[in-house]
Amino acid sequence: MVASLVELTDAASVDRAARALFGGPLDTRPAVSHSFAAWKAEEEAPLTTILINEHSPKSDLDFLALHIARARADAIIITGKILRDEPTLSFDLRADPRWGDALLNWRERRWGLCDPPWLLILTGRGDIDFSHPVFHGWGRPLIFTSDRAAARKLAAAPCPVVSDEAPDIRRAIEHLQLARQCECVSIEAGPSTARALYERPMVVKELLLSVYLEHSLDQRAQGEPLVKLSEVRGVFRSETSATHREGRQHWSFYRLRR
């Protein structure tokens, strides 16, 4: 089953894979979508985010789910910390040879998106390595930072730099929506940054959640707790999900919408 989901040929095959993966079709583009992978240690415990490193569980389906979210987006928000923690991070929609050009085809035919997404890098420190692959690959980098960091450290940036007197993730979303006309913004920021999106007024319109279901997770792969699944279910009006087995692992994939 897993093999058939990740062997994509065209836009129609991506639609079928998304439906099987999340238990329902991805038939709309929300204004703000949040994607993350987590481990549920106990039933009522907050979901623990999974760090991306050599100790984290590997899932072809989680990898596909993340790239499906990217393929729908006009813009993706990450942070400078993510670039430092993941020096080989790439946003190429051809990341798995089994997909070929299917996700690009889906992006263009299903959603009418011909340009790469904006890749907004939210940073307060301005400590950015411009040799990172995100500055040389698919996607249009854009740095969103404070006035001071922009002036001191980012003068030689190979991409647009937007200075803001109080940069945070909510103001970054507003910039993308108002100044860049982005209809769908995908959030990949870490928990310390993304947590603010669940405060009132809540900004997230869709949550695409991959949950690792095994009883244990290497401590070196455990990130910060973010939200309780029971709590977010209470603020989203609809939910679809599906559980899949990959080798000895079990994962559940949720799509929650407001």
Side-chain angles (χ1 to χ4, degrees):
M1 181 63 177
V2 171
S4 64
L5 288 184
V6 298
E7 291 173 355
L8 306 175
T9 56
D10 54 18
S13 70
V14 179
D15 276 325
R16 290 192 296 270
R19 180 187 292 270
L21 189 60
F22 293 103
L26 265 65
D27 49 3
T28 58
R29 293 202 312 143
V32 179
S33 178
H34 183 203
S35 295
F36 74 97
W39 174 55
K40 186 167 65 173
E42 299 176 5
E43 190 61 32
E44 285 304 313
L47 295 168
T48 298
T49 54
I50 298 177
L51 302 175
I52 306 302
N53 57 36
E54 65 271 25
H55 308 291
S56 56
K58 303 302 183 285
S59 167
D60 288 343
L61 294 183
D62 175 50
F63 195 56
L64 175 60
L66 178 62
H67 283 78
I68 285 176
R70 292 172 174 175
R72 288 187 309 163
D74 294 297
I76 301 165
I77 295 181
I78 61 171
T79 62
K81 182 178 186 304
I82 287 177
L83 296 188
R84 293 188 292 273
D85 291 346
E86 302 181 40
T88 62
L89 177 65
S90 170
F91 289 83
D92 187 357
L93 291 185
R94 302 184 183 93
D96 190 314
R98 292 171 293 181
W99 306 342
D101 292 330
L103 286 175
L104 282 170
N105 184 270
W106 187 66
R107 177 178 176 83
E108 295 174 4
R109 291 177 176 266
R110 186 73 170 82
W111 306 110
L113 301 173
C114 297
D115 295 327
W118 289 102
L119 181 60
L120 185 146
I121 302 158
L122 178 62
T123 175
R125 295 167 48 182
D127 185 11
I128 301 291
D129 179 3
F130 299 130
S131 67
H132 193 287
V134 300
F135 294 102
H136 309 282
W138 189 72
R140 292 178 286 172
L142 165 70
I143 297 174
F144 193 81
T145 189
S146 66
D147 295 336
R148 182 177 300 177
R152 290 174 53 192
K153 294 186 177 181
L154 299 170
C159 64
V161 176
V162 175
S163 59
D164 188 277
E165 60 182 12
D168 63 16
I169 193 164
R170 288 177 179 256
R171 291 172 73 96
I173 291 170
E174 289 176 0
H175 170 79
L176 290 168
Q177 292 174 333
L178 299 177
R180 310 285 170 174
Q181 292 78 52
C182 295
E183 296 179 6
C184 178
V185 178
S186 182
I187 308 298
E188 296 187 23
S192 60
T193 300
R195 190 173 289 112
L197 300 178
Y198 291 89
E199 300 170 356
R200 294 183 179 181
M202 186 169 162
V203 175
V204 177
K205 303 301 182 184
E206 174 191 73
L207 173 59
L208 298 180
L209 177 62
S210 305
V211 179
Y212 181 63
L213 299 176
E214 300 308 309
H215 295 298
S216 62
L217 176 67
D218 192 311
Q219 190 169 8
R220 294 167 291 183
Q222 296 180 26
E224 298 178 39
L226 182 51
V227 292
K228 289 184 179 181
L229 182 56
S230 59
E231 291 178 352
V232 294
R233 279 175 161 161
V235 296
F236 288 93
R237 62 177 174 82
S238 68
E239 174 185 333
T240 61
S241 65
T243 298
H244 300 273
R245 178 178 177 178
E246 290 188 75
R248 297 181 179 179
Q249 299 179 6
H250 290 81
W251 290 76
S252 285
F253 297 88
Y254 296 84
R255 184 193 188 203
L256 298 105
R257 290 183 294 162
R258 296 182 69 195

